[in-house]
Amino acid sequence: MSKDKDALVEQVMGELLKKGISLKDKNQSNASGGFEMNDFLNSTSVVPEFVGTREIGDTIGMCIPSVDPTLLDQLHITKRYSVLGILSARSGAGPHIMAMDEAVKATNTEVIDIELPRDTKGGAGHGSLILIGGYDPSDVRSAINVALDNLSRTFGDVYNSAAGHLELQFTARASGACHMAFGAPEGKAYGLICGAPSGIGVVMADTAIKTAGVNVLSFASPAHGTSFSNEGMVHISGDSGAVRQAVMAGREVGLKLLAQLGEKPVNDFPSYIK
Amino acid sequence: MSKDKDALVEQVMGELLKKGISLKDKNQSNASGGFEMNDFLNSTSVVPEFVGTREIGDTIGMCIPSVDPTLLDQLHITKRYSVLGILSARSGAGPHIMAMDEAVKATNTEVIDIELPRDTKGGAGHGSLILIGGYDPSDVRSAINVALDNLSRTFGDVYNSAAGHLELQFTARASGACHMAFGAPEGKAYGLICGAPSGIGVVMADTAIKTAGVNVLSFASPAHGTSFSNEGMVHISGDSGAVRQAVMAGREVGLKLLAQLGEKPVNDFPSYIK
Amino acid sequence: MSKDKDALVEQVMGELLKKGISLKDKNQSNASGGFEMNDFLNSTSVVPEFVGTREIGDTIGMCIPSVDPTLLDQLHITKRYSVLGILSARSGAGPHIMAMDEAVKATNTEVIDIELPRDTKGGAGHGSLILIGGYDPSDVRSAINVALDNLSRTFGDVYNSAAGHLELQFTARASGACHMAFGAPEGKAYGLICGAPSGIGVVMADTAIKTAGVNVLSFASPAHGTSFSNEGMVHISGDSGAVRQAVMAGREVGLKLLAQLGEKPVNDFPSYIK
């Protein structure tokens, strides 16, 4: 670069700094106290328990082929299995539960624990920790892969804006994950209608229930049925067509209300509830 | 723009990118996977339940003129009303509770639920979900509007810095919202003295209580009386002058302590406790 | 600055704004509604309760030489002391508990309360509020200073990335803080192995336990033994060499797994577990 250009860039940089924009050099972290993890890595090979990741929700899937029995004693699981599957994410509870619902339907595995951290990295909702058990490591790895692959579908009706989010889920036939997490009757249609901030979820629920004849399983709110997330969500069950219609009605009113708080909410993947 | 200028801007942009500043084109989100909600909106008109919003705290107010009875069964309310008012926010519990306290005093409505999500969008405190009931939709809408209008006052003694926040509240005559949320005796003066990180609230409380003869209703901390927020807060009651004096003493020591963690804390609206 | 240069900078600024970068003037906050706290400060002197701060974790240490008895009644402490020490932080529970463990060993003080807010400013973990009691203010201030000084050590094996974090802790001889917070037997070696998102902690725990013969005290996860944080962590006790070996094995697998979610995790201070 010529001297003149350098001077110019220097000047612009100086001007930006005055305006409050701080420039962080890409290599700065290492030079100023960032200690690399490499010291502790014997090799760069991935650990055998690793199954896969998805960028959406910072999701990681793993499988332990033979869990240590003393650890198994300390886990909060509904049934002991020595082969353990793990789906874990920073953002997203509904999407991961729905994805795992498909996975246990498709494989010889069972959901044995669902825990919902208050997370979403500063957002209004949950992350998730889902444990499944099986008899064969290949079954369990397969289930985790099915769940990971389903996330681009089950995130389809998650709509985000700076002020909050909406989540809609629907299945014509609920299985073990929906049953454990939401009390959904297995084999029947199930729908989730959720809005954040939580008050939006109250209006969405009211609209949804009035739209079609469905069974209201429960209503979760910051102090009841959530991990203090800022969500209002109704769980519904019943006839497949009615549940779907109710979910879509809740979505319509939710999108309008959340848009009142600023930007239009957008989804990262195409909507799947039509 | 001339070719030369274009080249120059290109060069500066390139330099910024090297320095780690990523430039996001305003229209990029739609082009790269952001699916617009418009598909699901039959019209752009606002839903009838909508009452209003305030930018502070990402606050939305709504009113359901006739709640579905099956939803009412699932809500956690102290009394059944068919007309429901909703005040919901991402950031702010005290300010919304104090604002609603004024609203129920001014209208024929009643607070029937207060829930505090752990929120503030990555901050140290709570958001809020407040439900009120009434017999007449116009009463309830009016109450929600009174609450929304009070927020610029009740946020007046909320002080934020990058490291934490302080909140001070005072009323000469507590009503239903303060009673339900904080155990404040109705009709008497009530004060809230809160600091985050929570240890600051301990010292603020000690100073406040020593300053004037007040009744200590309770002390809330991360594991007791909060939704795991990082706040220490004391609730006090008693003679109006003493409560006000105690609140102001707590504020003074809190501002000094929080400032030790970096920047000076600032409020978004003028202080109202004088 | 010459006219030409001004025009150029203006042009670049305009271009940046079009690209979505907003420039905030450093002095803007005061001019546009930021009310300075100075109005309420009688002086700029620090309050006598203040002991010190550390930038890491937004940590503040304080000491109340003679707590108000009515406040003492409302605190959730295991034993009444009139001299109160306070260690409070936005980010970090393990590091502060381990640091306080050293502090109570080194001074005539006792841990009387440990509370873990769900915090880390949008991260996956906890902040902390730790109260200690003593008979002499100088003992308590000394303990708080010892704890503050230990943080650069106890943060040494906290590794962060955009997707999550890992935390490893080890002591050859656990004291009162580890006992109260984690159920560690006093006087014996104790180790903490933690990963976030929480599923990573499950695999770290399994690997650690299989590596060496240790006692598994408990496993904490989002719904059990945490404040809904997105962490999986195992608490172990036993022979010093075995505990250390287990912790290091957990660290190795954790670093590999978390790195699968994007960047390599880095620590802010040098690792102390070797």
Side-chain angles (χ1 to χ4, degrees), chain C residues 178-234:
Chain C
C178 287
H179 178 68
M180 179 181 285
F182 307 131
E186 294 194 44
K188 295 186 79 174
Y190 162 79
L192 180 155
I193 296 146
C194 169
S198 48
I200 290 176
V202 178
V203 176
M204 290 168 73
D206 183 67
T207 303
I209 296 169
K210 283 172 177 165
T211 300
V214 295
N215 298 324
V216 179
L217 300 171
S218 66
F219 184 82
S221 49
H224 303 275
T226 68
S227 304
F228 296 119
S229 77
N230 200 338
E231 297 174 307
M233 74 182 96
V234 69

Side-chain angles (χ1 to χ4, degrees), chain A residues 8 11 15 19 21 33 35 40 42-43 45-47 50 64 66 68 70 76 88-90 115 117-119 121 227, chain C residues 8-9 23-24 118 122-123 159 162-163 197 199 206 210 221-224 228 230 252-253 256-257 260 267 271:
Chain A
L8 175 65
Q11 186 203 334
E15 211 56 30
K19 291 282 182 179
I21 293 190
F35 296 87
F40 308 116
N42 292 337
S43 79
S45 70
V46 172
V47 292
F50 179 72
I64 305 178
S66 175
D68 189 278
T70 57
H76 299 87
S88 179
R90 293 293 308 277
E115 305 190 18
R118 174 70 184 88
D119 206 335
K121 302 176 105 169
S227 305
Chain C
L8 175 65
V9 169
L23 307 179
K24 195 182 171 187
R118 174 70 184 87
Y159 301 84
D206 183 67
K210 283 172 177 165
S221 49
H224 303 275
F228 296 119
N230 200 338
E252 187 179 333
V253 70
K256 285 179 183 173
L257 286 170
Q260 293 293 327
N267 45 357
S271 163

Side-chain angles (χ1 to χ4, degrees), chain B residues 8 24 206 210 221 267, chain C residues 8 19 35 66 68 115 118:
Chain B
L8 175 65
K24 195 182 171 188
D206 183 66
K210 284 173 177 165
S221 50
N267 45 357
Chain C
L8 175 65
K19 292 281 182 179
F35 297 87
S66 176
D68 188 278
E115 305 190 18
R118 174 70 184 87

Side-chain angles (χ1 to χ4, degrees), chain C residues 233-251:
Chain C
M233 74 182 96
V234 69
H235 303 287
I236 58 175
S237 180
D239 168 69
S240 176
V243 170
R244 185 196 301 265
Q245 204 183 333
V247 168
M248 290 170 72
R251 177 174 63 192

